[in-house]
Amino acid sequence: MNNQIDLNKILKQFNIETNIENYGNGHINDTYLTQTKNYILQRINTNIFKNPAELMDNIENVTEFLRKKIAENRGDPDRETLSVIKTESGKNYYKYDDDNYFRVYKYIQDTYTIESIKDPHDMYNAGAGFGKFQALLNDFPASQLHETITDFHNTPKRVEAFKKAVEEDIMGRASSVQAEIDFVLSRSNIADVVVNDMKNGRIPVRVTHNDTKINNILFDNETGKAVCVIDLDTVMPGSMLYDFGDALRIGASTAAEDETNLNTVNFNIENFMYFTKGYAQEMAQYLTEREVELLAFSAKLLTYECGMRFLTDYLQGDTYFKIHREGHNLDRARNQFKLVSDIETKEEVMENIAKDMILCV
Ligand code: ADP
Ligand code: GN1
Ligand code: MG
């Protein structure tokens, strides 16, 4: 991140005086924690989020809505949703210059994040956490939300963007990844299943999170239960299948998203079962038949989409996802494709498990 920026000066705009340190493992924003462990400061990635003001309006609206619901349910709104801290002049972000926009949240204490799941019970808790988030937003007026990234989970459009990146090949990398390119192209028939059914009304449009990575949920230090869903930049109208499938992409993988020993990358059915069970506790009552039918498929679709996005970024010179080594996006893509292949062998079993889990609520 930009070292010339005086973070202390930015904090003062939010009436906070303390030192600050780097924090978190996200691929998108720059995150810092105050030394007093009270506040999270984040630089919003404007390379990706072109309209930070609209983005912050979404987050303020959604978190205010959640606060009311959580209070009605006798929960603790200061812990169970993000709290946006305003600047001295009452704004929900601070513009340092055209490229650097900052926001502050209350730091939610006595919680932890999980990078990769070791215990299937954590998947139950994650499923319940994401399910509850969606259930609480079930009657949020979707028309109030700005689209912070256009066509974010529009998989057919992602395929088009991928093909364009292959054709343009600006880094001259395409010939060395022909096998991975073929992998994507040979499965492009799965891309439009969800968007088509959303268009024809078989799948309802809901308010969804759209980035349900396991490390976007905070778990309670004492109980291990999900406390708060974070990283709300992409809360937009979408399908619940996006959130369900994306959470399994990391949550049910037996290895990290960038593991290069592909023999260790597999899809863990037990984790799938526990996640579905937890999710169903909160959301089963709202799901349509078609959504239930596609739960297993969504894990494959979202893993395919993410792998394709990593490969697209690799072909385009790694401008979207933060990378920490040469070829990092290619490693991530290969990893996701291995997971897709493994899901393909287990999809039928997963479909049956999903139906059972929904029925037994
Ligand atoms: P990114 O979009 O880069 O993934 P996140 O909003 O997910 O950024 O934040 C990165 C990490 O910072 C999270 O995984 C989590 O560990 C931590 N974090 C973010 N916000 C909070 C918060 N309000 N309280 C506690 N931890 C937080
Ligand atoms: C990004 O912000 P983070 O690290 O939670 C990305 C997701 C990808 C994920 C892959 C806004 O998530 O869509 O699935 O990386 N977020 C955005 O790890 O593009
Ligand atoms: Mg995150």
Side-chain angles (χ1 to χ4, degrees), residues 227-283:
V227 176
C228 181
V229 172
I230 61 168
D231 206 347
L232 305 180
D233 297 332
T234 50
V235 174
M236 288 181 276
S239 162
M240 57 69 56
L241 293 162
Y242 300 155
D243 287 2
F244 188 87
D246 201 31
L248 290 157
R249 190 177 65 75
I250 286 185
S253 176
T254 50
E257 182 189 57
D258 60 356
E259 173 61 58
T260 53
N261 179 356
L262 299 185
N263 292 329
T264 65
V265 181
N266 288 301
F267 191 84
N268 180 322
I269 293 271
E270 197 183 17
N271 283 1
F272 173 78
M273 188 179 85
Y274 273 81
F275 183 86
T276 311
K277 198 171 179 186
Y279 185 86
Q281 288 301 325
E282 303 290 337
M283 272 299 285

Side-chain angles (χ1 to χ4, degrees), residues 26 215-216 231:
N215 70 6
N216 285 332
D231 206 347

Side-chain angles (χ1 to χ4, degrees), residues 205-344:
V205 178
R206 304 176 184 276
V207 174
T208 48
H209 182 283
N210 297 305
D211 188 2
T212 47
K213 237 162 125 161
I214 294 300
N215 70 6
N216 285 332
I217 198 160
L218 303 176
F219 295 89
D220 187 89
N221 279 353
E222 267 184 28
T223 64
K225 297 229 178 297
V227 176
C228 181
V229 172
I230 61 168
D231 206 347
L232 305 180
D233 297 332
T234 50
V235 174
M236 288 181 276
S239 162
M240 57 69 56
L241 293 162
Y242 300 155
D243 287 2
F244 188 87
D246 201 31
L248 290 157
R249 190 177 65 75
I250 286 185
S253 176
T254 50
E257 182 189 57
D258 60 356
E259 173 61 58
T260 53
N261 179 356
L262 299 185
N263 292 329
T264 65
V265 181
N266 288 301
F267 191 84
N268 180 322
I269 293 271
E270 197 183 17
N271 283 1
F272 173 78
M273 188 179 85
Y274 273 81
F275 183 86
T276 311
K277 198 171 179 186
Y279 185 86
Q281 288 301 325
E282 303 290 337
M283 272 299 285
Q285 57 180 315
Y286 301 114
L287 298 183
T288 66
E289 209 176 302
R290 182 64 175 153
E291 285 173 323
V292 175
E293 220 171 80
L294 291 177
L295 290 176
F297 172 80
S298 75
K300 180 174 76 175
L301 179 69
L302 272 287
T303 308
Y304 168 78
E305 182 190 276
C306 194
M308 174 169 61
R309 289 174 63 199
F310 287 141
L311 190 56
T312 305
D313 200 27
Y314 177 72
L315 292 169
Q316 291 181 327
D318 308 303
T319 57
Y320 188 97
F321 297 103
K322 286 184 189 173
I323 56 165
H324 307 291
R325 60 177 186 250
E326 197 58 29
H328 206 167
N329 274 318
L330 177 58
D331 292 343
R332 290 168 175 153
R334 287 182 170 145
N335 175 304
Q336 298 297 285
F337 297 153
K338 166 65 202 292
L339 203 55
V340 169
S341 303
D342 197 46
I343 296 173
E344 283 170 349

Side-chain angles (χ1 to χ4, degrees), residues 10 16 20 32 47 107 123 143 145 156 216 274 280 344:
I10 288 160
I16 299 168
I20 190 129
Y32 306 88
N47 181 32
Y107 178 67
M123 279 303 269
S143 59
L145 289 174
N216 285 332
Y274 273 81
E344 283 170 349

Side-chain angles (χ1 to χ4, degrees), residues 99-117:
D99 294 326
N100 292 287
Y101 288 71
F102 289 84
R103 64 171 167 226
V104 172
Y105 293 127
K106 261 187 209 163
Y107 178 67
I108 301 174
Q109 296 180 344
D110 304 318
T111 63
Y112 60 95
T113 48
I114 302 178
E115 292 300 324
S116 74
I117 297 281

Side-chain angles (χ1 to χ4, degrees), residues 98-153:
D98 281 347
D99 294 326
N100 292 287
Y101 288 71
F102 289 84
R103 64 171 167 226
V104 172
Y105 293 127
K106 261 187 209 163
Y107 178 67
I108 301 174
Q109 296 180 344
D110 304 318
T111 63
Y112 60 95
T113 48
I114 302 178
E115 292 300 324
S116 74
I117 297 281
K118 305 277 181 301
D119 177 349
H121 293 100
D122 291 335
M123 279 303 269
Y124 176 89
N125 290 328
F130 283 131
K132 186 170 179 189
F133 178 84
Q134 229 158 45
L136 289 175
L137 289 174
N138 200 39
D139 53 353
F140 182 92
S143 59
Q144 276 184 16
L145 289 174
H146 305 284
E147 206 175 354
T148 55
I149 301 179
T150 318
D151 294 319
F152 189 56
H153 282 306

